Amino acid sequence: MDFLYPLTRWQRKRRKRKERLARDTAFQQLLDRDGLTPVEVLADVLPGLEPMATGFDLVRIGGARDGGYLLPDDLDGLAASFSPGVNVMVDFDLDMAARGVPVFMADASVDGPPVQNPLFDFEKLFLGPETRPGFITLDDWVAGKAPAQGDLLLQIDIEGAEWDVLDTVSDAVLNRFRIIALEVHDFHEVFRDGAAAQKLRVLKRLGRDFVVAHVHINNCDAPMSLGRLSVPPTFEITYLRRDRVTDLRPAAPLPHPLDTPNDRRNVDFVMPPVWRDFRM
């Protein structure tokens, strides 16, 4: 009879290294098959993901783990917060409501937020590129819910659907948002010819009207290895609209003192400083 013993710490590390090597090798084979996006195109986008100081200190909104974001402390006077994707944790939304900001929430996978608040407004709908049964566009959602005047905040974590949503939103609605706290999914696909165009288009569009105020890797997914480049599949990025920036300069090195790992069981990863001098 074979007996199963708990793995030692060294064995666990060795297993993780082997799993990561197999995943990275498969990723490289996939890229070799599909072809890499030209370096010159990526070089136009990746420097735009370098966080900048904006003249505002960063504050943490939401809990200490997953669902918390670092935002520029430019929150006074916001007319509303739009928060698609409702999880068991709504600390971010509760923090915004505590500041007196109405919070509009949408998610068809749940019947409502896990806690109630007088400033919460919930729609059982998914956010998508077109309005149809079960879905609503960001334009239609804002048109139906937002006050006629005033800046808005967008906190968006919708498991990969963010690319379609941000690709189809109008300039008029996008620029009503003073701050965007975005969780990016499947970023590694920006290096695949078959999936790169939309992601590059969305990132360039955001970089035109917004400045990156902070970046933090979601440590639920370890970065993938692509040559000398470390590629995080999932990360949080905070944007501040350019007209709000008062002092544009490179931010202090990451991590920020307020950064915490999304999953305390995993090591926290630091966004590599490779964006500034991209090399393949």
Side-chain angles (χ1 to χ4, degrees):
M1 173 181 283
D2 293 330
F3 292 92
L4 297 178
Y5 294 92
L7 296 177
T8 67
R9 182 179 179 185
W10 178 83
Q11 288 172 321
R12 288 196 300 271
K13 285 187 175 181
R14 185 180 181 187
R15 174 179 287 184
K16 284 185 177 180
R17 282 197 299 268
K18 290 177 66 176
E19 290 173 349
R20 182 171 178 181
L21 178 61
R23 184 201 62 182
D24 291 348
T25 300
F27 178 50
Q28 183 64 64
Q29 291 171 345
L30 185 65
L31 293 172
D32 291 342
R33 186 194 71 193
D34 288 358
L36 292 176
T37 303
V39 170
E40 59 269 22
V41 175
L42 290 175
D44 289 340
V45 175
L46 295 183
L49 297 180
E50 185 77 19
M52 305 293 288
T54 61
F56 295 95
D57 292 334
L58 296 178
V59 294
R60 189 171 188 90
I61 302 296
R65 302 297 172 188
D66 201 26
Y69 292 82
L70 268 60
L71 307 184
D73 194 6
D74 185 22
L75 303 173
D76 291 344
L78 287 172
S81 173
F82 282 77
S83 183
V86 178
N87 201 341
V88 294
M89 296 176 293
V90 289
D91 294 347
F92 184 97
D93 306 298
L94 288 169
D95 281 357
M96 294 308 300
R99 292 171 175 262
V101 178
V103 178
F104 297 97
M105 312 166 84
D107 194 328
S109 69
V110 297
D111 292 325
V115 297
Q116 299 299 313
N117 186 286
L119 290 180
F120 284 0
D121 179 288
F122 175 78
E123 295 271 359
K124 191 174 174 60
L125 295 169
F126 287 126
L127 208 57
E130 60 180 355
T131 296
R132 56 187 174 86
F135 290 82
I136 191 169
T137 65
L138 187 53
D139 276 51
D140 288 345
W141 192 26
V142 169
K145 296 292 184 178
Q149 303 294 324
D151 284 346
L152 310 173
L153 182 149
L154 176 63
Q155 186 266 312
I156 177 169
D157 178 5
I158 51 177
E159 305 304 322
E162 66 274 5
W163 300 110
D164 284 342
V165 169
L166 294 174
D167 197 25
T168 54
V169 64
S170 68
D171 286 341
V173 168
L174 186 64
N175 282 283
R176 283 208 63 186
F177 293 106
R178 181 190 301 177
I179 296 171
I180 298 175
L182 166 67
E183 179 150 287
V184 167
H185 299 83
D186 305 319
F187 178 70
H188 58 288
E189 292 186 358
V190 78
F191 296 93
R192 293 176 53 192
D193 281 345
Q198 183 186 56
K199 290 177 173 57
L200 292 170
R201 186 167 59 245
V202 168
L203 292 172
K204 284 186 175 181
R205 185 184 189 192
L206 290 170
R208 180 190 65 200
D209 298 323
F210 295 83
V211 170
V212 175
H214 187 62
V215 178
H216 177 254
I217 295 178
N218 186 321
N219 71 334
C220 294
D221 292 315
M224 296 181 176
S225 297
L226 177 60
R228 295 171 55 194
L229 185 63
S230 180
V231 184
T234 307
F235 60 92
E236 301 149 359
I237 184 166
T238 302
Y239 288 98
L240 178 65
R241 204 174 59 219
R242 286 188 178 274
D243 66 303
R244 305 294 299 187
V245 175
T246 62
D247 181 20
L248 187 63
R249 52 189 171 82
L254 297 174
H256 189 278
L258 296 178
D259 276 328
T260 60
N262 299 71
D263 188 335
R264 69 179 66 194
R265 297 168 297 180
N266 298 334
V267 64
D268 207 14
F269 302 101
V270 177
M271 182 64 78
V274 72
W275 312 124
R276 191 173 290 143
D277 56 346
F278 176 70
R279 297 288 187 274
M280 289 296 293

